[in-house]
Amino acid sequence: MAETRAYIGRTQRVMLAIGLLPLLAALLSAIGSVPARPPNLAAQVAARMGDSGVTHPLTAVLLNFRGYDTMLEIAVLWLAGLGALALAPGPSAQRGRPHPVLAGLLRVLAPALVMTAGYILWAGGFRPGGAFQAGAVLGAGLVLASLGGVVHLDPARGLQCLLGLGVAVFTGVAVWSWAQTGELLHYPGTTDKWAILAIESMAALSIAFILLTLFDRLTSPSTSLSTSLSSSPPPPPAA
Amino acid sequence: MPDAGFSSAWLAAPIAVPLLAAIGVALLSARLRAGVCALGAVGTAVASFVVLARVAAAGPLRHNLGGWGAPLGIDLFADGLSVLMLAMTAVLGCAISLYASGYFEHARERQSFWPIWFLLWTGLNALFLTADLFNFYVTLELIGISAVALVAMEGGPVALSAAVRYLFMAMLGSLAYMGGVALVYAQTGALDLALLEGRLGEGPLGQAALALLIVGLLAKTALFPLHLWLPPAHSSAPAPVSAALSALVVKASFYILLRTSFGAFSDNALAAVGPILGILGGLAVLWGSLQALTQDRLKLMIAYSTVAQVGYLFLLFPVAMPGAGDAAWQSKAWIAGIFHALSHAAAKGAMFMAAGAILHAVGRDDKNSLRGLGERMPVSVSALAVAGISIMALPPSGGFIAKWMLLVAAVRTGQWWWAPLMIGGGLLAAGYVFRMVKFAFYATPAHAPPLHAVPRRLEYTALVLALIALGLGLASVFPIAVAAIGAPFPENWFTEAL
Amino acid sequence: MTLPLAFDVFLCAMLLGLAARTLFSRTLFQGVMFFVVYGLVMALAWARLNAPDIALAEAALGAGITGALLFSAVRALRDRGDREEES
Amino acid sequence: MPIFDSMLPLLVLMTSLVTAAVIFALGEERAKARTFFNLLGALAKLALVGFMLWGVFHERVFETRWRFMPQLDFVLRADSMTILFSTLSAGLWLLTTIYAIGYLEGSPNRRRFFGYFSLCVTATMGVSLAGNLITFFVFYELLTLTTYPLVVHRGTDKAIKAGSMYLRYTLGGSAAMLAGMLWLYVLVGPFDFAETGALSALDPRLHWQLIAIFVLLIGGLGVKAALIPLHRWLPEAMVAPAPVSALLHAVAVVKAGAFGIVRVVYDVYGIEFSRDLGVLPGLAAIAALTILYGSIRALTQDDFKRRLAFSTVSQVSYITLGVSLFGPIASIGGLVHLVHQGIMKITMFFAAGNVAEALGAHKVSELDGVGRRMPGTMAAFSVAALGMIGVPPLAGFISKWYLGWGAAAAGQYWALGVLAASSLLNAAYFLPILYRAWFKPQRKPWPHEHLRRGRFEISPWLLLPPVATAVLVVLAGLLAGHPFSPLGWVRIIAGREYLAP
């Protein structure tokens, strides 16, 4: 890219590489000294599983023990969607009629993907799965559907609400738990399972639509991203 | 911690309020936007200052999120350093919000700016209120992604290519940091800083972890020679975003480094890293200043000035590290660095805001378009000049106090060679600031095109911030006393001084 | 050599080989193809590492959506090339 | 300490700081209100300083103090030295304000001008009230920054160039001063200005460091005091409007430098300790060279204001010379010249400004017959010029008399030669102006004459200040024996600065 060269020259890149080489060497040498049985928190997690409302340790860590991290991570994902919408606020591209094979495939695949996503979400409580995976699968399905012209992305308020749903519910639960117990994200009594389920399902929905938004905005020919990045280097500002 | 009238859960308020504001402004109808924004900004600031007042009165606070407690859960933690950063963010945040409400009044960006901006604010507050290595990573992501989105928001090719470069650098930095955190966890099984005390950087594994952590953070702080992404990103963003980036965002990763290095680093590691950081900081001062001296565009000059000023921040490491000499003075160097961060935030915010107002009015920001602006936009030019005083570290500005304390500490601990660098850096700063400001003092050219009307709050917000940077020099005792709360140095070193 | 170990070694070799092919492929289209295959093999590797959830996410995101994005980018570049030739 | 006594120094600063704020807040076109607040501020300040004078005479202590960084206090304190400088500044501020109001009538950017003008006076008062080195430095730098907009006020290429040069010199000087201050602080810790000095207790093995610090500090202060070779900015800064030149030369910038040298020698090092360190002869030599150099350069200047500027270079160094010739009598001569040079030089700049304003005459060669055209202005100028030359019983005579006497008393007879030579040169470059003004007829029309309005040769706003200062020149000489005259006051100071009277 021509603009890139304007800021980072070849010598600078070489210097950067030379500077980073020792780091790489240190890293490689250090990998050998990772302890065979590293000290970790698995035992503690296992000990407190009973209090977490779920039986799968990963979900317990993500949604309960370190639920705060996850809340912020979902905010990060939301942010990605918001950023994509900010870049290209216009309507999405009109895709042509889908290929008949694709259309046929969609008819079979779409319901299956929705089912799979739902199962993965529910399974998260007791075995590997959860909101991120479910959202990813559902998102993939939505992308397929949009390629097939079945789903049409409309960057209006409805979409805004879908994108923010996960964060909103998570934050709402956090504030609610604060009001109930005086501690943020401390789910009162036996509500933990249901709180987690509410958060996970809404987060999955949001994640799916965030993925769709990202895909749609970044591929739509109307976006400023694709036009500007592929245009010739800009004229110098104000000669 | 039962305490009449104050629960430690209030620590979450400065995080929750802007997050709720972001959600509200994105989900509610456009008619309510102005109200939600105002409420969000003021509410966040109030929450931040409540925490500040509490910590100032009762010492460091800790809150176990979800009631689990470290190491299993995540703790929110606030000491003097945290609340100072929180207060800095609150002041700048309110100023930026006010400024942006004028700057984007009729612009397309007014829809997308607000939720992203409040998420950025959430990320900053969350970062300053945590003490968990992995949670730092999450907040860094929140900050980094929102910063990139804000840079890209303007949509022009210059802004976009700057944003993409920024994104790559932020990603690489995150990746390096994340790798470091993974290695730390593999070695120690802990992520909370209090549990890691003095254990970072031991053995080859620890050293590699530390190297990754530091490189990641330096890339995000834009310390020379990892600064290349900063000038294009900071100069091509819309003015309120530039202000947020230079004043706050670069401080976030610096804060992590500051917090981890004094406390979690082992003494040997700090002694090894300190001089390197100092040398890089010194080079940044020289390189950034010289580059700023050759820029012909106001915003680029200010951006390069940030490269230089970030360098000053890192000079505290060699002076404050253990074994550097006179122990009582190490704590002063540490505080000087923090104070520099505060006054630079106010001054740089003011400069970018003033530059934004000028750009708004004139349509350009090359030095010749500044001619005669002293008469036509006196408030903005004054803001630029007054903020410049703090950047040049002339008295009585906050920048001067910071530099003086660092200078004295450096000489007292036997590292006098930082003195010529810092004094020379001040002269260079005077050079680049006046090189621009002097154009404003030319008489207005006869053929000067008329100015676009600028909302008054743009100019006055900049001026108020500049005056805060100046006034910090006369009222430095309170912030310094706050910084001493829970500082990683013996308490009597502070009390004797204050 | 037991069968699972052999399979793991094969996976590792595949991953390295596919990464290299992705980097050094002659056309962008080919590179993206290899990238998608790489994502699928990576998903297998996650599954072998006892992380079926990550495997799922890798397949959906790494191979699926990212692949689709890259393909669309290749198309956009080709369209642009056509336009420039015309003009 | 009563609350009023601890607030008074701050109040003295506030009178002009608040005035500046009010002026900036008023619109450009609110000339009447601006004039009112300007004069109100100046009169209030004069009254407060008068009260302070009376109090210090009766040994009352006025001190404002707060901690502004670890182990360092921000100190404003009125001691006898302060009174000397702040009375001069407050008095001349009033007159210069009156003059500037008349001088700038109808010209653009007056809000900016008067705003910075007031800030500049605030900084000058701060310089005089500073109770320790760091507080002094704060105001010394503020002075640099607030005078810059005044120097470049006209906004021409020439003005901007002169402004850049001014900044290069002064900021370079401040870097040297900062380095010196830092070194001193690290060596001895925080200390306040104290009569008879604060450093003599230091271990003699560290004295070489004190000498180096002295060089750095004087190097920094010497820029503003226009010691050679650091004087070059001063003649260039003449592009500024006349009231600014008047202020720069008589009160603010140049005097702040000279006053700083006085502070460093008397109240940081202590005059006797300075002698023991052996730093005084070097300082005296530079001062003497500057006196001669400035006078010689002034001889050949045809531009009226440039001639006055080089005269300033020369005359200000009298102060430094008086300080560096060890002995109470020479000190009296040097210190009293701080005031005397101020009132004489400001008269001259007022007069030069009047001539330029009324007749457009900027060159000495254009002054033929100007005395008959502007008798009041030129009479004031003549009094000041004769005073500079040292004609009794005018103010300048008193200074030179004490300087010469002091040099003789200290056994430094070479200084007598410098004084005599300088007086001859003074006469050589001032008397021709007087001769042209009074005894030569007007040869050609004035370059750019404004129409005469009213009864006087020029607006009374412009005529009153030079006449008033000329009267002061006469009074300072005639009433030198009175305790509240500059000389009387300086004698009190000298009595306090020397360990053994």
Side-chain angles (χ1 to χ4, degrees), chain B residues 329 374-375 378 389 394-396 400-401 404-405 407-408 411-412 419 423 427 430 434 438 441-443 473-474 476-477 480 497-498, chain D residues 66-72 109 111-112 134 137-138 141 145 148-149 152 155-157 160 164 167 171 175 178-179 181-182 185-186:
Chain B
W329 282 96
E375 292 168 39
I389 295 176
L394 287 180
F400 171 72
I401 305 284
W404 171 264
M405 288 194 292
L407 273 169
V408 172
V411 179
R412 273 283 167 94
I423 294 176
L427 281 180
F434 273 111
K438 78 175 181 196
F441 284 101
Y442 275 108
L474 294 173
S476 66
V477 170
I480 291 172
L498 296 162
Chain D
W66 77 88
R67 180 135 291 197
F68 82 128
M69 60 175 130
Q71 296 176 327
L72 267 179
N109 288 329
R111 173 170 75 161
R112 182 172 89 194
I134 194 139
F137 184 69
V138 168
E141 289 308 303
L145 297 172
Y148 174 79
V152 300
T156 57
D157 273 336
I160 303 281
S164 299
L167 281 182
L171 291 180
L178 179 62
M181 239 169 47
L182 174 75
Y185 180 80
V186 170

Coordinates of all heavy atoms in Angstrom, one line a residue, chain B residues 329 374-375 378 389 394-396 400-401 404-405 407-408 411-412 419 423 427 430 434 438 441-443 473-474 476-477 480 497-498, chain D residues 66-72 109 111-112 134 137-138 141 145 148-149 152 155-157 160 164 167 171 175 178-179 181-182 185-186:
Chain B
W329 N 14.2 9.5 47.5 CA 13.9 10.2 46.3 C 13.3 9.4 45.2 O 12.7 9.9 44.3 CB 15.2 10.9 45.8 CG 15.4 12.1 46.6 CD1 16.2 12.2 47.8 CD2 14.8 13.4 46.5 NE1 16.1 13.5 48.3 CE2 15.2 14.2 47.6 CE3 13.8 13.9 45.6 CZ2 14.7 15.5 47.7 CZ3 13.4 15.2 45.8 CH2 13.8 16.0 46.8
G374 N -4.6 35.0 16.1 CA -4.5 35.6 17.4 C -5.6 36.7 17.6 O -6.1 36.8 18.7
E375 N -5.9 37.4 16.5 CA -7.0 38.4 16.6 C -8.3 37.7 16.4 O -9.3 38.1 17.0 CB -6.8 39.4 15.5 CG -5.6 40.3 15.6 CD -5.4 41.0 14.3 OE1 -6.4 41.5 13.7 OE2 -4.2 41.2 13.9
P378 N -9.0 34.4 19.5 CA -8.1 34.6 20.6 C -8.2 33.5 21.7 O -7.2 33.1 22.3 CB -8.5 35.9 21.2 CG -9.9 36.2 20.7 CD -10.0 35.5 19.4
I389 N 2.6 26.0 27.6 CA 3.5 26.3 28.7 C 3.7 25.1 29.5 O 4.8 24.8 30.0 CB 2.8 27.4 29.6 CG1 2.7 28.7 28.8 CG2 3.6 27.6 30.9 CD1 2.0 29.8 29.6
L394 N 7.4 25.0 31.6 CA 7.7 26.3 32.2 C 6.8 26.5 33.4 O 5.7 26.1 33.5 CB 7.5 27.5 31.2 CG 8.5 27.5 30.1 CD1 8.2 28.7 29.2 CD2 9.9 27.7 30.6
P395 N 7.4 27.2 34.5 CA 6.5 27.4 35.6 C 5.4 28.4 35.3 O 5.6 29.2 34.4 CB 7.5 28.0 36.6 CG 8.6 28.6 35.8 CD 8.7 27.8 34.6
P396 N 4.3 28.4 36.0 CA 4.0 27.6 37.1 C 3.2 26.4 36.8 O 2.4 25.9 37.6 CB 3.2 28.5 38.0 CG 2.4 29.3 37.0 CD 3.3 29.4 35.8
F400 N 5.8 21.7 34.8 CA 7.1 22.2 35.4 C 7.3 21.4 36.7 O 8.4 21.0 37.0 CB 7.0 23.7 35.7 CG 8.1 24.2 36.6 CD1 9.4 24.3 36.1 CD2 7.9 24.6 37.9 CE1 10.5 24.7 36.8 CE2 9.0 25.0 38.7 CZ 10.2 25.1 38.2
I401 N 6.2 21.3 37.5 CA 6.3 20.7 38.8 C 6.8 19.2 38.6 O 7.7 18.8 39.3 CB 5.0 20.6 39.6 CG1 4.4 22.0 39.7 CG2 5.1 20.0 40.9 CD1 5.1 22.9 40.7
W404 N 10.4 19.3 37.5 CA 11.3 19.7 38.6 C 11.5 18.5 39.6 O 12.7 18.2 40.0 CB 10.7 20.9 39.3 CG 11.5 21.3 40.6 CD1 11.1 20.9 41.8 CD2 12.7 22.0 40.6 NE1 12.1 21.4 42.7 CE2 13.0 22.1 42.0 CE3 13.5 22.7 39.7 CZ2 14.1 22.8 42.4 CZ3 14.6 23.4 40.1 CH2 14.9 23.4 41.5
M405 N 10.4 17.8 40.0 CA 10.6 16.7 40.9 C 11.4 15.6 40.3 O 12.3 15.0 41.0 CB 9.2 16.2 41.3 CG 8.5 17.2 42.2 SD 7.0 16.4 43.0 CE 6.0 16.1 41.6
L407 N 13.6 15.9 37.9 CA 15.0 16.4 37.8 C 15.7 16.3 39.2 O 16.9 15.7 39.2 CB 15.0 17.9 37.4 CG 15.0 18.2 35.9 CD1 14.7 19.7 35.7 CD2 16.3 17.8 35.3
V408 N 15.1 16.8 40.2 CA 15.8 16.7 41.5 C 16.0 15.3 41.9 O 17.1 14.9 42.4 CB 14.9 17.4 42.6 CG1 15.5 17.2 43.9 CG2 14.8 18.9 42.3
V411 N 18.9 13.8 40.0 CA 20.3 14.3 40.4 C 20.6 13.7 41.8 O 21.7 13.3 42.1 CB 20.3 15.8 40.4 CG1 21.7 16.3 40.9 CG2 20.1 16.3 39.0
R412 N 19.5 13.7 42.7 CA 19.7 13.2 44.0 C 20.1 11.7 44.0 O 20.8 11.3 44.9 CB 18.5 13.4 44.8 CG 18.3 14.7 45.5 CD 19.2 14.8 46.7 NE 19.3 16.2 47.2 CZ 18.6 16.7 48.1 NH1 17.6 16.0 48.7 NH2 18.8 17.9 48.5
A419 N 19.4 15.2 33.6 CA 19.0 16.6 33.7 C 19.2 17.4 32.4 O 18.3 18.0 31.9 CB 19.8 17.2 34.8
I423 N 16.1 19.2 30.4 CA 16.1 20.6 30.2 C 16.2 20.9 28.7 O 15.5 21.8 28.2 CB 17.3 21.3 30.9 CG1 17.1 21.2 32.4 CG2 17.5 22.8 30.6 CD1 18.2 21.7 33.3
L427 N 13.5 22.9 26.1 CA 13.8 23.9 25.1 C 13.3 23.5 23.7 O 12.7 24.4 23.0 CB 15.3 24.1 25.0 CG 15.9 25.0 26.1 CD1 17.4 25.1 25.9 CD2 15.3 26.4 26.1
A430 N 9.7 24.2 23.7 CA 9.4 25.6 23.5 C 9.6 25.9 22.0 O 8.8 26.7 21.4 CB 10.4 26.4 24.3
F434 N 6.3 27.4 20.0 CA 6.3 28.8 19.5 C 6.4 28.8 18.0 O 6.0 29.8 17.4 CB 7.5 29.5 20.1 CG 7.0 30.1 21.4 CD1 7.6 29.7 22.6 CD2 6.1 31.1 21.5 CE1 7.2 30.2 23.8 CE2 5.7 31.7 22.7 CZ 6.2 31.2 23.9
K438 N 3.6 31.4 17.0 CA 4.0 32.7 16.5 C 3.2 33.1 15.2 O 3.0 34.3 15.0 CB 5.5 32.7 16.2 CG 6.0 32.1 14.9 CD 7.5 32.3 14.7 CE 7.8 31.6 13.4 NZ 9.3 31.4 13.3
F441 N 0.3 35.3 15.8 CA 0.6 36.7 16.1 C 0.8 37.7 14.9 O 0.9 38.9 15.1 CB 1.7 36.9 17.1 CG 1.3 36.5 18.5 CD1 1.7 35.2 19.0 CD2 0.6 37.3 19.3 CE1 1.3 34.8 20.3 CE2 0.2 36.9 20.6 CZ 0.6 35.7 21.0
Y442 N 0.9 37.1 13.8 CA 0.9 37.9 12.6 C -0.4 38.7 12.5 O -1.4 38.2 12.9 CB 1.1 37.1 11.3 CG 2.5 36.7 11.0 CD1 3.0 35.4 11.2 CD2 3.4 37.7 10.5 CE1 4.3 35.1 10.9 CE2 4.7 37.4 10.2 CZ 5.2 36.1 10.4 OH 6.5 35.7 10.1
A443 N -0.2 39.9 11.9 CA -1.5 40.6 11.6 C -2.3 39.8 10.6 O -1.7 39.1 9.8 CB -1.1 42.0 11.0
G473 N 0.1 23.3 38.6 CA 1.4 23.6 39.2 C 1.3 24.4 40.5 O 2.2 24.3 41.4
L474 N 0.2 25.0 40.7 CA 0.0 25.8 42.0 C -0.7 25.0 43.0 O -0.7 25.3 44.2 CB -0.7 27.1 41.7 CG 0.0 28.1 40.8 CD1 -0.8 29.2 40.5 CD2 1.3 28.5 41.5
S476 N -0.4 21.4 43.6 CA 0.1 20.0 43.3 C 0.1 19.2 44.6 O 0.2 18.0 44.5 CB 1.5 20.1 42.8 OG 2.3 20.6 43.7
V477 N -0.1 19.8 45.8 CA 0.1 19.0 47.0 C -1.0 18.0 47.2 O -0.7 16.8 47.6 CB 0.2 20.0 48.2 CG1 0.1 19.2 49.5 CG2 1.5 20.8 48.1
I480 N -0.5 15.0 44.9 CA 0.7 14.2 45.3 C 0.4 13.4 46.6 O 0.7 12.3 46.7 CB 1.9 15.2 45.5 CG1 2.3 15.7 44.2 CG2 3.0 14.4 46.2 CD1 3.3 16.8 44.2
A497 N 8.0 14.8 53.1 CA 8.0 15.8 52.0 C 6.8 16.7 52.0 O 6.9 17.8 51.6 CB 8.2 15.1 50.7
L498 N 5.7 16.1 52.4 CA 4.4 16.9 52.2 C 4.0 17.6 53.5 O 4.3 18.6 53.9 CB 3.3 16.0 51.7 CG 3.6 15.4 50.4 CD1 2.7 14.3 50.1 CD2 3.3 16.5 49.3
Chain D
W66 N 2.6 29.2 50.5 CA 1.9 27.9 50.5 C 2.8 26.9 49.9 O 3.7 27.3 49.0 CB 0.5 28.0 50.0 CG 0.4 28.0 48.5 CD1 0.4 27.0 47.6 CD2 0.3 29.2 47.7 NE1 0.2 27.4 46.3 CE2 0.1 28.8 46.3 CE3 0.2 30.6 48.0 CZ2 0.0 29.7 45.3 CZ3 0.1 31.4 46.9 CH2 0.0 31.0 45.6
R67 N 2.6 25.7 50.2 CA 3.4 24.6 49.7 C 2.9 24.3 48.3 O 1.8 24.0 48.1 CB 3.3 23.4 50.7 CG 4.1 22.3 50.2 CD 4.8 21.6 51.4 NE 5.9 22.5 51.9 CZ 6.8 22.0 52.7 NH1 6.8 20.7 53.0 NH2 7.8 22.8 53.1
F68 N 3.8 24.3 47.3 CA 3.3 24.0 46.0 C 4.0 22.8 45.4 O 3.6 22.3 44.4 CB 3.3 25.2 45.1 CG 4.6 25.6 44.4 CD1 4.6 25.8 43.1 CD2 5.7 25.8 45.2 CE1 5.8 26.2 42.5 CE2 6.9 26.2 44.5 CZ 6.9 26.4 43.2
M69 N 5.0 22.3 46.0 CA 5.4 20.9 45.7 C 6.2 20.4 46.9 O 6.5 21.2 47.8 CB 6.2 20.9 44.4 CG 7.5 21.7 44.3 SD 8.3 21.4 42.7 CE 8.6 23.0 42.2
P70 N 6.5 19.1 46.9 CA 7.2 18.6 48.0 C 8.4 19.4 48.5 O 9.2 19.7 47.6 CB 7.5 17.2 47.6 CG 6.6 16.8 46.5 CD 6.2 18.1 45.9
Q71 N 8.4 19.7 49.7 CA 9.6 20.4 50.3 C 9.8 21.8 49.7 O 10.8 22.4 50.0 CB 10.8 19.6 50.2 CG 10.7 18.3 51.0 CD 11.9 17.4 50.8 OE1 12.5 17.3 49.8 NE2 12.2 16.6 51.9
L72 N 9.0 22.3 48.9 CA 9.2 23.6 48.4 C 8.0 24.5 48.6 O 6.9 24.1 48.3 CB 9.5 23.6 46.9 CG 11.0 23.5 46.5 CD1 11.1 23.4 45.0 CD2 11.8 24.7 47.1
N109 N -6.5 45.5 18.2 CA -6.0 44.5 19.3 C -5.6 45.2 20.6 O -4.7 44.8 21.2 CB -4.7 43.8 18.7 CG -5.0 42.8 17.7 OD1 -6.1 42.3 17.7 ND2 -4.1 42.7 16.7
R111 N -7.4 45.1 23.3 CA -7.7 44.2 24.4 C -6.5 43.3 24.7 O -6.1 43.1 25.8 CB -9.0 43.3 24.0 CG -9.2 42.3 25.0 CD -10.6 41.6 24.8 NE -10.5 40.7 23.7 CZ -11.4 39.7 23.5 NH1 -12.4 39.6 24.3 NH2 -11.3 38.9 22.5
R112 N -6.0 42.7 23.6 CA -4.9 41.8 23.8 C -3.7 42.6 24.5 O -3.1 42.1 25.4 CB -4.4 41.2 22.5 CG -3.3 40.3 22.6 CD -3.0 39.6 21.3 NE -2.1 40.3 20.4 CZ -1.9 40.1 19.1 NH1 -2.7 39.2 18.5 NH2 -1.1 40.8 18.4
I134 N 12.9 29.8 43.7 CA 12.0 29.1 42.7 C 10.8 30.0 42.4 O 10.3 30.0 41.3 CB 11.6 27.7 43.3 CG1 11.0 26.9 42.1 CG2 10.7 27.7 44.4 CD1 11.4 25.5 42.1
F137 N 11.8 32.3 40.0 CA 11.9 31.7 38.7 C 10.6 31.6 38.0 O 10.4 31.9 36.8 CB 12.6 30.4 38.8 CG 12.8 29.7 37.5 CD1 13.8 30.1 36.6 CD2 12.1 28.5 37.1 CE1 14.0 29.5 35.4 CE2 12.3 27.9 35.9 CZ 13.2 28.4 35.1
V138 N 9.6 31.3 38.8 CA 8.2 31.2 38.3 C 7.8 32.5 37.6 O 7.4 32.6 36.5 CB 7.2 30.9 39.4 CG1 5.8 31.1 38.9 CG2 7.4 29.4 39.9
E141 N 9.9 33.6 34.5 CA 9.4 32.9 33.2 C 8.1 33.5 32.8 O 7.9 33.7 31.6 CB 9.3 31.4 33.5 CG 10.6 30.7 33.6 CD 11.5 31.0 32.5 OE1 11.2 30.8 31.4 OE2 12.6 31.6 32.8
L145 N 7.0 35.1 29.1 CA 5.8 34.7 28.3 C 4.9 35.8 28.1 O 4.3 35.9 27.0 CB 5.1 33.5 29.0 CG 6.0 32.2 29.1 CD1 5.3 31.2 29.9 CD2 6.2 31.7 27.7
Y148 N 6.1 38.5 25.5 CA 6.2 38.1 24.1 C 5.1 38.7 23.2 O 5.4 39.3 22.2 CB 6.3 36.5 23.9 CG 6.2 36.1 22.5 CD1 7.4 36.1 21.7 CD2 5.1 35.6 21.9 CE1 7.3 35.7 20.4 CE2 5.0 35.2 20.6 CZ 6.1 35.2 19.9 OH 6.1 34.8 18.6
P149 N 3.8 38.5 23.6 CA 2.8 39.1 22.8 C 2.9 40.6 22.6 O 2.5 41.2 21.6 CB 1.5 38.8 23.5 CG 1.8 37.6 24.4 CD 3.3 37.8 24.8
V152 N 5.7 41.3 19.9 CA 5.2 41.0 18.6 C 3.9 41.7 18.2 O 3.3 41.4 17.2 CB 5.1 39.5 18.3 CG1 6.4 38.8 18.5 CG2 4.0 38.9 19.1
G155 N 2.6 42.6 14.7 CA 2.3 41.5 13.8 C 3.0 41.6 12.5 O 2.6 40.9 11.5
T156 N 4.0 42.4 12.3 CA 4.8 42.4 11.1 C 5.9 41.3 11.1 O 6.2 40.8 12.1 CB 5.5 43.7 10.9 OG1 6.3 44.0 12.0 CG2 4.4 44.9 10.8
D157 N 6.4 41.1 9.9 CA 7.5 40.1 9.8 C 8.6 40.4 10.8 O 9.2 39.6 11.5 CB 8.1 40.1 8.4 CG 7.3 39.1 7.6 OD1 6.7 38.2 8.1 OD2 7.3 39.3 6.3
I160 N 7.7 39.7 14.4 CA 7.7 38.3 14.7 C 9.2 37.8 14.8 O 9.5 37.0 15.7 CB 7.0 37.5 13.6 CG1 5.6 38.0 13.5 CG2 7.0 36.0 14.0 CD1 4.6 37.5 14.5
S164 N 10.9 36.1 18.0 CA 11.6 34.8 18.1 C 12.9 34.9 18.7 O 13.4 34.1 19.5 CB 11.6 34.2 16.7 OG 10.4 34.0 16.1
L167 N 12.7 35.2 22.4 CA 12.4 34.0 23.0 C 13.6 33.1 23.1 O 13.9 32.4 24.1 CB 11.3 33.2 22.3 CG 9.9 33.7 22.6 CD1 8.9 32.9 21.9 CD2 9.6 33.6 24.1
L171 N 14.6 32.1 26.7 CA 14.4 30.7 27.1 C 15.7 30.0 27.3 O 15.8 29.1 28.2 CB 13.4 30.0 26.1 CG 12.0 30.6 26.1 CD1 11.1 29.8 25.1 CD2 11.4 30.4 27.5
A175 N 16.9 28.2 30.7 CA 17.4 26.8 30.9 C 18.6 26.8 31.7 O 18.8 26.0 32.6 CB 17.7 26.2 29.5
L178 N 17.5 27.4 35.2 CA 16.9 26.2 35.8 C 18.0 25.2 36.2 O 18.0 24.6 37.3 CB 16.0 25.5 34.8 CG 15.3 24.3 35.2 CD1 14.4 24.5 36.4 CD2 14.5 23.7 34.1
A179 N 19.0 25.0 35.4 CA 20.1 24.1 35.7 C 20.8 24.6 37.0 O 21.1 23.8 37.9 CB 21.1 24.0 34.6
M181 N 19.6 26.5 39.4 CA 18.7 26.3 40.5 C 18.6 24.9 41.0 O 18.7 24.6 42.2 CB 17.3 26.8 40.1 CG 16.8 27.9 40.8 SD 15.3 28.5 40.0 CE 14.4 27.1 39.7
L182 N 18.5 24.0 40.0 CA 18.4 22.6 40.4 C 19.7 22.1 41.1 O 19.6 21.5 42.2 CB 18.3 21.8 39.0 CG 18.3 20.3 39.2 CD1 17.0 19.8 39.7 CD2 18.6 19.7 37.8
Y185 N 19.7 23.5 44.6 CA 18.7 22.8 45.4 C 19.2 21.5 45.8 O 19.1 21.1 47.0 CB 17.4 22.7 44.6 CG 16.3 22.0 45.4 CD1 15.6 22.7 46.3 CD2 16.0 20.7 45.2 CE1 14.6 22.1 47.0 CE2 15.1 20.0 45.9 CZ 14.3 20.7 46.8 OH 13.3 20.1 47.5
V186 N 19.8 20.8 44.9 CA 20.4 19.4 45.3 C 21.5 19.6 46.3 O 21.6 18.8 47.2 CB 20.8 18.7 44.0 CG1 21.6 17.5 44.3 CG2 19.6 18.4 43.1

